[in-house]
Amino acid sequence: MENEININDSDFEKQVLDKSETLPVVVDFWATWCGPCVMLSPIMERLAKEYKGKFILAKLNVEDNQEKAQEYGVMSIPAVKMFKGGEIVDEFVGLLPEAEIRDFLERNL
């Protein structure tokens, strides 16, 4: 199973809400023009590989997909939200140090 996927507004329900019934899904709301997003992305990708299928990393470009960003209250990016059972269980905004991202994952997985 792929542990990193690119998603959009139209497949959000299937890729995030449905899949989060069986496995946590971490959604990274980002944009190409966002410097902190570009710095966060490789950290999230590396952790997704390192955690070997304990969660799915779903990346949503908010430039192209504003509907879900608005629906989930994304005011600034990067915004990272963890879904379990179709619900947000935890989230953070901004570029955090890798150790804090690991803490976020550990307390939720």
Side-chain angles (χ1 to χ4, degrees), residues 25-67:
V25 179
V26 176
V27 181
D28 178 5
F29 293 87
W30 70 285
T32 54
W33 49 263
C34 165
C37 298
V38 174
M39 291 166 30
L40 177 65
S41 196
I43 298 170
M44 295 304 297
E45 291 164 12
R46 187 172 65 251
L47 291 172
K49 286 180 181 70
E50 186 181 309
Y51 277 79
K52 292 183 174 71
K54 289 187 180 156
F55 70 91
I56 297 167
L57 175 61
K59 300 174 68 167
L60 183 87
N61 184 328
V62 299
E63 286 175 288
D64 305 327
N65 301 280
Q66 296 176 1
E67 180 187 314

Tab-separated table of all heavy atoms in Angstrom, residues 25-67:
chain	number	residue	atom	x	y	z
A	25	VAL	N	-4.862	8.863	8.701
A	25	VAL	CA	-4.469	9.610	7.506
A	25	VAL	C	-4.042	11.007	7.964
A	25	VAL	O	-4.796	11.698	8.637
A	25	VAL	CB	-5.619	9.715	6.483
A	25	VAL	CG1	-5.185	10.530	5.266
A	25	VAL	CG2	-6.094	8.326	6.045
A	26	VAL	N	-2.811	11.380	7.613
A	26	VAL	CA	-2.279	12.698	7.946
A	26	VAL	C	-2.360	13.544	6.680
A	26	VAL	O	-1.747	13.217	5.670
A	26	VAL	CB	-0.818	12.596	8.437
A	26	VAL	CG1	-0.239	13.983	8.679
A	26	VAL	CG2	-0.749	11.752	9.713
A	27	VAL	N	-3.159	14.611	6.742
A	27	VAL	CA	-3.328	15.477	5.574
A	27	VAL	C	-2.439	16.708	5.735
A	27	VAL	O	-2.520	17.420	6.733
A	27	VAL	CB	-4.799	15.906	5.392
A	27	VAL	CG1	-4.942	16.798	4.157
A	27	VAL	CG2	-5.705	14.686	5.272
A	28	ASP	N	-1.592	16.914	4.731
A	28	ASP	CA	-0.720	18.088	4.671
A	28	ASP	C	-1.348	19.064	3.679
A	28	ASP	O	-1.367	18.813	2.484
A	28	ASP	CB	0.671	17.633	4.206
A	28	ASP	CG	1.679	18.769	4.060
A	28	ASP	OD1	1.345	19.920	4.417
A	28	ASP	OD2	2.794	18.500	3.568
A	29	PHE	N	-1.914	20.152	4.211
A	29	PHE	CA	-2.475	21.216	3.368
A	29	PHE	C	-1.320	22.156	3.035
A	29	PHE	O	-0.723	22.741	3.945
A	29	PHE	CB	-3.567	21.982	4.129
A	29	PHE	CG	-4.800	21.163	4.425
A	29	PHE	CD1	-4.883	20.375	5.564
A	29	PHE	CD2	-5.895	21.211	3.568
A	29	PHE	CE1	-6.034	19.642	5.845
A	29	PHE	CE2	-7.050	20.486	3.846
A	29	PHE	CZ	-7.110	19.695	4.975
A	30	TRP	N	-1.011	22.334	1.756
A	30	TRP	CA	0.172	23.081	1.352
A	30	TRP	C	-0.083	23.844	0.058
A	30	TRP	O	-1.137	23.705	-0.561
A	30	TRP	CB	1.340	22.114	1.160
A	30	TRP	CG	1.173	21.240	-0.043
A	30	TRP	CD1	0.334	20.157	-0.177
A	30	TRP	CD2	1.804	21.399	-1.312
A	30	TRP	NE1	0.423	19.635	-1.438
A	30	TRP	CE2	1.321	20.376	-2.161
A	30	TRP	CE3	2.741	22.303	-1.811
A	30	TRP	CZ2	1.735	20.247	-3.483
A	30	TRP	CZ3	3.150	22.160	-3.128
A	30	TRP	CH2	2.652	21.133	-3.939
A	31	ALA	N	0.905	24.643	-0.355
A	31	ALA	CA	0.881	25.345	-1.636
A	31	ALA	C	2.313	25.523	-2.125
A	31	ALA	O	3.240	25.611	-1.312
A	31	ALA	CB	0.200	26.706	-1.503
A	32	THR	N	2.480	25.611	-3.434
A	32	THR	CA	3.819	25.708	-4.020
A	32	THR	C	4.532	26.994	-3.629
A	32	THR	O	5.753	27.006	-3.507
A	32	THR	CB	3.755	25.626	-5.559
A	32	THR	OG1	2.849	26.626	-6.030
A	32	THR	CG2	3.291	24.270	-6.023
A	33	TRP	N	3.793	28.091	-3.416
A	33	TRP	CA	4.396	29.387	-3.097
A	33	TRP	C	4.754	29.542	-1.620
A	33	TRP	O	5.323	30.540	-1.215
A	33	TRP	CB	3.462	30.527	-3.510
A	33	TRP	CG	2.053	30.339	-3.025
A	33	TRP	CD1	1.006	29.824	-3.729
A	33	TRP	CD2	1.540	30.618	-1.718
A	33	TRP	NE1	-0.127	29.775	-2.947
A	33	TRP	CE2	0.178	30.261	-1.701
A	33	TRP	CE3	2.105	31.148	-0.555
A	33	TRP	CZ2	-0.629	30.396	-0.574
A	33	TRP	CZ3	1.292	31.284	0.572
A	33	TRP	CH2	-0.057	30.909	0.546
A	34	CYS	N	4.404	28.550	-0.813
A	34	CYS	CA	4.580	28.623	0.643
A	34	CYS	C	5.932	28.028	1.037
A	34	CYS	O	6.113	26.819	1.002
A	34	CYS	CB	3.418	27.869	1.299
A	34	CYS	SG	3.648	27.475	3.035
A	35	GLY	N	6.874	28.909	1.423
A	35	GLY	CA	8.217	28.458	1.805
A	35	GLY	C	8.234	27.406	2.907
A	35	GLY	O	8.865	26.360	2.760
A	36	PRO	N	7.534	27.643	4.038
A	36	PRO	CA	7.511	26.630	5.098
A	36	PRO	C	6.906	25.295	4.629
A	36	PRO	O	7.331	24.230	5.077
A	36	PRO	CB	6.653	27.269	6.193
A	36	PRO	CG	6.797	28.747	5.964
A	36	PRO	CD	6.914	28.902	4.474
A	37	CYS	N	5.945	25.353	3.708
A	37	CYS	CA	5.351	24.121	3.166
A	37	CYS	C	6.413	23.308	2.429
A	37	CYS	O	6.493	22.084	2.583
A	37	CYS	CB	4.220	24.439	2.183
A	37	CYS	SG	2.826	25.316	2.883
A	38	VAL	N	7.195	24.014	1.630
A	38	VAL	CA	8.239	23.359	0.840
A	38	VAL	C	9.294	22.743	1.767
A	38	VAL	O	9.854	21.696	1.465
A	38	VAL	CB	8.868	24.375	-0.149
A	38	VAL	CG1	10.045	23.785	-0.878
A	38	VAL	CG2	7.811	24.858	-1.140
A	39	MET	N	9.523	23.364	2.915
A	39	MET	CA	10.489	22.819	3.880
A	39	MET	C	9.891	21.663	4.682
A	39	MET	O	10.596	20.723	5.044
A	39	MET	CB	10.972	23.931	4.806
A	39	MET	CG	11.834	24.933	4.057
A	39	MET	SD	12.194	26.532	4.842
A	39	MET	CE	12.207	26.270	6.556
A	40	LEU	N	8.594	21.707	4.944
A	40	LEU	CA	7.932	20.656	5.721
A	40	LEU	C	7.760	19.376	4.904
A	40	LEU	O	7.897	18.274	5.431
A	40	LEU	CB	6.555	21.142	6.204
A	40	LEU	CG	5.708	20.124	6.984
A	40	LEU	CD1	6.384	19.750	8.303
A	40	LEU	CD2	4.317	20.690	7.243
A	41	SER	N	7.486	19.543	3.635
A	41	SER	CA	7.149	18.404	2.779
A	41	SER	C	8.161	17.244	2.837
A	41	SER	O	7.769	16.104	3.074
A	41	SER	CB	6.951	18.893	1.345
A	41	SER	OG	6.289	17.919	0.604
A	42	PRO	N	9.463	17.490	2.663
A	42	PRO	CA	10.403	16.358	2.708
A	42	PRO	C	10.476	15.694	4.081
A	42	PRO	O	10.702	14.484	4.177
A	42	PRO	CB	11.747	16.968	2.311
A	42	PRO	CG	11.573	18.444	2.319
A	42	PRO	CD	10.109	18.740	2.297
A	43	ILE	N	10.250	16.466	5.145
A	43	ILE	CA	10.235	15.878	6.495
A	43	ILE	C	9.060	14.916	6.608
A	43	ILE	O	9.206	13.778	7.064
A	43	ILE	CB	10.143	16.977	7.581
A	43	ILE	CG1	11.367	17.893	7.526
A	43	ILE	CG2	9.982	16.347	8.972
A	43	ILE	CD1	11.250	19.137	8.390
A	44	MET	N	7.867	15.368	6.182
A	44	MET	CA	6.675	14.522	6.261
A	44	MET	C	6.841	13.270	5.399
A	44	MET	O	6.467	12.173	5.813
A	44	MET	CB	5.428	15.310	5.836
A	44	MET	CG	5.067	16.474	6.746
A	44	MET	SD	4.828	16.030	8.492
A	44	MET	CE	3.421	14.921	8.374
A	45	GLU	N	7.393	13.439	4.199
A	45	GLU	CA	7.587	12.299	3.300
A	45	GLU	C	8.556	11.288	3.902
A	45	GLU	O	8.319	10.081	3.843
A	45	GLU	CB	8.088	12.787	1.940
A	45	GLU	CG	7.016	13.576	1.186
A	45	GLU	CD	7.571	14.392	0.021
A	45	GLU	OE1	8.751	14.204	-0.371
A	45	GLU	OE2	6.812	15.248	-0.494
A	46	ARG	N	9.636	11.784	4.487
A	46	ARG	CA	10.625	10.882	5.105
A	46	ARG	C	9.997	10.125	6.277
A	46	ARG	O	10.191	8.923	6.432
A	46	ARG	CB	11.846	11.687	5.558
A	46	ARG	CG	12.982	10.827	6.061
A	46	ARG	CD	14.267	11.599	6.320
A	46	ARG	NE	14.133	12.574	7.403
A	46	ARG	CZ	14.113	13.894	7.228
A	46	ARG	NH1	14.217	14.424	6.026
A	46	ARG	NH2	13.986	14.702	8.263
A	47	LEU	N	9.214	10.835	7.106
A	47	LEU	CA	8.570	10.178	8.248
A	47	LEU	C	7.537	9.153	7.791
A	47	LEU	O	7.410	8.088	8.399
A	47	LEU	CB	7.943	11.218	9.179
A	47	LEU	CG	8.954	12.091	9.940
A	47	LEU	CD1	8.244	13.212	10.678
A	47	LEU	CD2	9.785	11.261	10.904
A	48	ALA	N	6.809	9.458	6.720
A	48	ALA	CA	5.831	8.497	6.198
A	48	ALA	C	6.535	7.201	5.789
A	48	ALA	O	6.042	6.099	6.064
A	48	ALA	CB	5.071	9.095	5.016
A	49	LYS	N	7.699	7.322	5.158
A	49	LYS	CA	8.469	6.122	4.778
A	49	LYS	C	8.997	5.405	6.016
A	49	LYS	O	8.936	4.187	6.127
A	49	LYS	CB	9.627	6.504	3.853
A	49	LYS	CG	9.197	6.847	2.450
A	49	LYS	CD	10.398	7.224	1.584
A	49	LYS	CE	9.993	7.606	0.181
A	49	LYS	NZ	9.280	8.882	0.077
A	50	GLU	N	9.512	6.189	6.948
A	50	GLU	CA	10.098	5.615	8.161
A	50	GLU	C	9.058	4.853	8.987
A	50	GLU	O	9.351	3.812	9.555
A	50	GLU	CB	10.694	6.754	8.995
A	50	GLU	CG	11.456	6.302	10.207
A	50	GLU	CD	11.991	7.485	11.009
A	50	GLU	OE1	12.646	8.367	10.401
A	50	GLU	OE2	11.735	7.534	12.224
A	51	TYR	N	7.844	5.378	9.053
A	51	TYR	CA	6.788	4.736	9.850
A	51	TYR	C	6.154	3.546	9.131
A	51	TYR	O	5.257	2.904	9.669
A	51	TYR	CB	5.740	5.762	10.284
A	51	TYR	CG	6.133	6.521	11.528
A	51	TYR	CD1	7.049	7.575	11.456
A	51	TYR	CD2	5.616	6.182	12.767
A	51	TYR	CE1	7.430	8.279	12.595
A	51	TYR	CE2	5.985	6.877	13.912
A	51	TYR	CZ	6.896	7.921	13.822
A	51	TYR	OH	7.260	8.609	14.958
A	52	LYS	N	6.586	3.268	7.921
A	52	LYS	CA	6.254	2.045	7.174
A	52	LYS	C	4.784	1.620	7.283
A	52	LYS	O	4.471	0.567	7.812
A	52	LYS	CB	7.139	0.889	7.652
A	52	LYS	CG	8.600	1.055	7.279
A	52	LYS	CD	9.389	-0.162	7.719
A	52	LYS	CE	10.812	-0.126	7.244
A	52	LYS	NZ	11.661	0.858	7.914
A	53	GLY	N	3.899	2.475	6.809
A	53	GLY	CA	2.500	2.060	6.731
A	53	GLY	C	1.678	2.245	7.987
A	53	GLY	O	0.537	1.797	8.044
A	54	LYS	N	2.227	2.897	9.015
A	54	LYS	CA	1.431	3.156	10.220
A	54	LYS	C	0.440	4.286	9.995
A	54	LYS	O	-0.499	4.453	10.767
A	54	LYS	CB	2.333	3.481	11.408
A	54	LYS	CG	3.096	2.275	11.908
A	54	LYS	CD	3.837	2.590	13.189
A	54	LYS	CE	4.585	1.358	13.674
A	54	LYS	NZ	5.718	1.708	14.514
A	55	PHE	N	0.688	5.088	8.947
A	55	PHE	CA	-0.261	6.125	8.557
A	55	PHE	C	-0.085	6.416	7.074
A	55	PHE	O	0.923	6.064	6.475
A	55	PHE	CB	-0.095	7.405	9.397
A	55	PHE	CG	1.159	8.196	9.125
A	55	PHE	CD1	1.178	9.211	8.171
A	55	PHE	CD2	2.330	7.930	9.817
A	55	PHE	CE1	2.332	9.944	7.925
A	55	PHE	CE2	3.487	8.663	9.580
A	55	PHE	CZ	3.485	9.667	8.631
A	56	ILE	N	-1.093	7.054	6.503
A	56	ILE	CA	-1.029	7.502	5.111
A	56	ILE	C	-0.804	9.009	5.138
A	56	ILE	O	-1.494	9.720	5.872
A	56	ILE	CB	-2.344	7.194	4.372
A	56	ILE	CG1	-2.594	5.689	4.315
A	56	ILE	CG2	-2.331	7.798	2.961
A	56	ILE	CD1	-4.000	5.320	3.887
A	57	LEU	N	0.144	9.473	4.350
A	57	LEU	CA	0.367	10.905	4.186
A	57	LEU	C	-0.371	11.344	2.925
A	57	LEU	O	-0.070	10.878	1.831
A	57	LEU	CB	1.865	11.206	4.054
A	57	LEU	CG	2.223	12.669	3.744
A	57	LEU	CD1	1.740	13.604	4.855
A	57	LEU	CD2	3.725	12.814	3.532
A	58	ALA	N	-1.355	12.212	3.110
A	58	ALA	CA	-2.147	12.716	1.984
A	58	ALA	C	-1.850	14.200	1.824
A	58	ALA	O	-1.976	14.969	2.773
A	58	ALA	CB	-3.629	12.493	2.249
A	59	LYS	N	-1.417	14.589	0.618
A	59	LYS	CA	-1.029	15.980	0.380
A	59	LYS	C	-2.090	16.675	-0.468
A	59	LYS	O	-2.449	16.189	-1.526
A	59	LYS	CB	0.330	16.001	-0.309
A	59	LYS	CG	1.399	15.328	0.574
A	59	LYS	CD	2.714	15.213	-0.125
A	59	LYS	CE	3.265	16.586	-0.299
A	59	LYS	NZ	4.668	16.618	-0.700
A	60	LEU	N	-2.580	17.804	0.044
A	60	LEU	CA	-3.626	18.554	-0.640
A	60	LEU	C	-3.113	19.957	-0.953
A	60	LEU	O	-2.850	20.745	-0.040
A	60	LEU	CB	-4.885	18.643	0.224
A	60	LEU	CG	-6.062	19.343	-0.447
A	60	LEU	CD1	-6.875	18.336	-1.256
A	60	LEU	CD2	-6.956	20.012	0.567
A	61	ASN	N	-2.972	20.260	-2.232
A	61	ASN	CA	-2.535	21.578	-2.672
A	61	ASN	C	-3.729	22.528	-2.575
A	61	ASN	O	-4.703	22.390	-3.313
A	61	ASN	CB	-2.007	21.495	-4.109
A	61	ASN	CG	-1.446	22.806	-4.603
A	61	ASN	OD1	-1.897	23.886	-4.221
A	61	ASN	ND2	-0.471	22.720	-5.478
A	62	VAL	N	-3.644	23.492	-1.659
A	62	VAL	CA	-4.781	24.383	-1.412
A	62	VAL	C	-4.990	25.400	-2.529
A	62	VAL	O	-6.070	25.977	-2.638
A	62	VAL	CB	-4.677	25.106	-0.049
A	62	VAL	CG1	-4.664	24.091	1.087
A	62	VAL	CG2	-3.459	26.000	0.027
A	63	GLU	N	-3.982	25.611	-3.375
A	63	GLU	CA	-4.160	26.502	-4.531
A	63	GLU	C	-5.209	25.930	-5.474
A	63	GLU	O	-6.030	26.646	-6.015
A	63	GLU	CB	-2.850	26.651	-5.307
A	63	GLU	CG	-1.818	27.514	-4.629
A	63	GLU	CD	-0.521	27.508	-5.406
A	63	GLU	OE1	0.176	26.481	-5.403
A	63	GLU	OE2	-0.223	28.546	-6.026
A	64	ASP	N	-5.131	24.631	-5.672
A	64	ASP	CA	-6.019	23.951	-6.617
A	64	ASP	C	-7.263	23.374	-5.952
A	64	ASP	O	-8.200	22.979	-6.647
A	64	ASP	CB	-5.262	22.803	-7.304
A	64	ASP	CG	-3.990	23.282	-7.977
A	64	ASP	OD1	-3.967	24.430	-8.470
A	64	ASP	OD2	-3.018	22.514	-8.006
A	65	ASN	N	-7.263	23.267	-4.630
A	65	ASN	CA	-8.344	22.596	-3.906
A	65	ASN	C	-8.738	23.409	-2.681
A	65	ASN	O	-8.366	23.095	-1.567
A	65	ASN	CB	-7.882	21.197	-3.478
A	65	ASN	CG	-7.478	20.355	-4.660
A	65	ASN	OD1	-8.317	19.787	-5.346
A	65	ASN	ND2	-6.189	20.276	-4.929
A	66	GLN	N	-9.506	24.467	-2.919
A	66	GLN	CA	-9.850	25.370	-1.820
A	66	GLN	C	-11.063	24.910	-1.018
A	66	GLN	O	-11.218	25.273	0.144
A	66	GLN	CB	-10.084	26.774	-2.380
A	66	GLN	CG	-8.818	27.330	-2.991
A	66	GLN	CD	-9.014	28.691	-3.643
A	66	GLN	OE1	-10.103	29.249	-3.625
A	66	GLN	NE2	-7.954	29.214	-4.227
A	67	GLU	N	-11.891	24.073	-1.620
A	67	GLU	CA	-13.130	23.653	-0.954
A	67	GLU	C	-12.850	22.932	0.367
A	67	GLU	O	-13.395	23.289	1.407
A	67	GLU	CB	-13.916	22.745	-1.910
A	67	GLU	CG	-15.228	22.246	-1.345
A	67	GLU	CD	-15.875	21.222	-2.280
A	67	GLU	OE1	-15.923	21.461	-3.502
A	67	GLU	OE2	-16.318	20.185	-1.767
